[in-house]
Amino acid sequence: MYLVGFYSPKAKSGVTELCLSIYNWLKMNTTLSAAYISYGTLEKEEISNEIIHEFSKLSLTEQKQKVKKLKKEYDIVIYDASSQLSEGVLKLLPIVDRLFVVGEEHKDFAVKLQQIIQFDKIFDKTVKNFITHLQGNKTFIIREKKEDHVIGFNYSKKETTDIGQMIYTDYVTHYLNEKFIKKNERVLKIVKQIPKDELFQGIYGLGVDFEKAMLFHKYVILREVLGQNYTDALESLFPLLIDSPFEELLEKFQNELFFITKLKI
């Protein structure tokens, strides 16, 4: 499930109307299943299993259950937070995979909101538990093109198509990323089962280049010497083994070794 949030600090900014139009666009123009959550009350739409309103009236436990259920049943969920700024909204926004802040004039607000979201993800236990519960930990503010502007909405059919296509493209990337992460997790599980003193041979046996496998083993040993737990060292360095070429892994190893040597002098 891919959760997309929409928020505006400005009352009656058309967020709900646009959210609903994007929800309908996704259903009409893609093969993805879509659901809709409104933090407030919807007065015109027919409420169903995939269109939910008055989310704010649910307890945190009920919200968790509802989102977890939607996560299993739908590919994309549109979360309409509208202009209701409250502690409840701030606690829920960190769970979205993408966050649209409505209105180009709200750039400073969007940056500050992002800072609050990141703070809550790190220090607020209820938010951290919610994120862990949903297994989602990425929040972004989508900017317009490559310019440093928050994407703004003056409702039009053209804008709906553009944003709908953007969300669809993001979902496809998200889907591939999830698949990649799952593959990584399976390989990491195998790596953890390799005896510590045979780490190099084990990784080489999995298909990693000889030099890279040896360097990775030395990097893990270095972290252990510095006091890091062996399993923690494996987990923290594993992304480098998967994603980085030998040259980049070597550079990071040498930089860390040089930094430690300088500290001891």
Side-chain angles (χ1 to χ4, degrees), residues 173-187 238-239 241-244:
T173 304
H174 173 79
Y175 175 82
L176 293 177
N177 187 53
E178 287 295 305
K179 290 293 183 184
F180 183 64
I181 288 173
K182 287 178 181 177
K183 287 180 179 291
N184 280 2
E185 288 174 346
R186 287 197 291 270
V187 175
F238 184 73
L241 178 68
I242 297 296
D243 300 331
S244 303

Side-chain angles (χ1 to χ4, degrees), residues 53-226:
H53 75 151
E54 297 183 340
F55 202 61
S56 60
K57 294 184 179 180
L58 301 178
S59 67
L60 184 60
T61 300
E62 290 173 327
Q63 290 173 348
K64 284 183 179 181
Q65 292 172 345
K66 183 67 71 175
V67 176
K68 189 172 185 179
K69 186 169 184 281
L70 293 173
K71 177 184 175 73
K72 293 180 179 179
E73 296 178 358
Y74 297 94
D75 296 317
I76 295 179
V77 177
I78 303 295
Y79 172 43
D80 169 21
S82 291
S83 57
Q84 303 176 55
L85 185 61
S86 68
E87 192 64 25
V89 168
L90 289 177
K91 285 183 182 295
L92 282 170
L93 285 179
I95 70 174
V96 303
D97 295 289
R98 286 289 190 183
L99 174 62
F100 288 82
V101 176
V102 178
E104 288 184 281
E105 70 274 21
H106 302 313
K107 175 185 172 184
D108 292 340
F109 171 86
V111 172
K112 183 57 64 177
L113 179 61
Q114 178 73 342
Q115 290 173 344
I116 291 292
I117 286 172
Q118 294 299 332
F119 183 89
D120 284 349
K121 286 169 69 174
I122 296 171
F123 296 106
D124 190 311
K125 289 184 178 180
T126 59
V127 171
K128 289 176 71 175
N129 291 340
F130 204 166
I131 291 172
T132 301
H133 181 79
L134 298 172
Q135 294 184 329
N137 61 359
K138 293 182 180 179
T139 304
F140 307 90
I141 290 178
I142 295 182
R143 300 193 180 280
E144 188 176 30
K145 299 179 182 177
K146 294 183 179 180
E147 300 172 9
D148 193 25
H149 295 294
V150 176
I151 194 162
F153 300 115
N154 296 306
Y155 177 66
S156 70
K157 289 184 179 179
K158 179 181 181 300
E159 204 156 43
T160 297
T161 300
D162 291 345
I163 298 164
Q165 186 61 57
M166 188 188 302
I167 290 172
Y168 177 74
T169 303
D170 285 342
Y171 168 80
V172 172
T173 304
H174 173 79
Y175 175 82
L176 293 177
N177 187 53
E178 287 295 305
K179 290 293 183 184
F180 183 64
I181 288 173
K182 287 178 181 177
K183 287 180 179 291
N184 280 2
E185 288 174 346
R186 287 197 291 270
V187 175
L188 179 58
K189 187 176 181 180
I190 295 172
V191 170
K192 285 181 176 180
Q193 294 173 348
I194 299 172
K196 186 191 298 189
D197 56 351
E198 298 175 12
L199 181 61
F200 153 64
Q201 293 94 330
I203 293 176
Y204 177 59
L206 290 174
V208 177
D209 290 342
F210 182 90
E211 294 84 358
K212 193 174 184 181
M214 180 179 292
L215 178 59
F216 180 77
H217 192 169
K218 288 183 178 295
Y219 209 157
V220 172
I221 292 173
L222 175 63
R223 287 288 180 87
E224 267 201 296
V225 170
L226 295 173

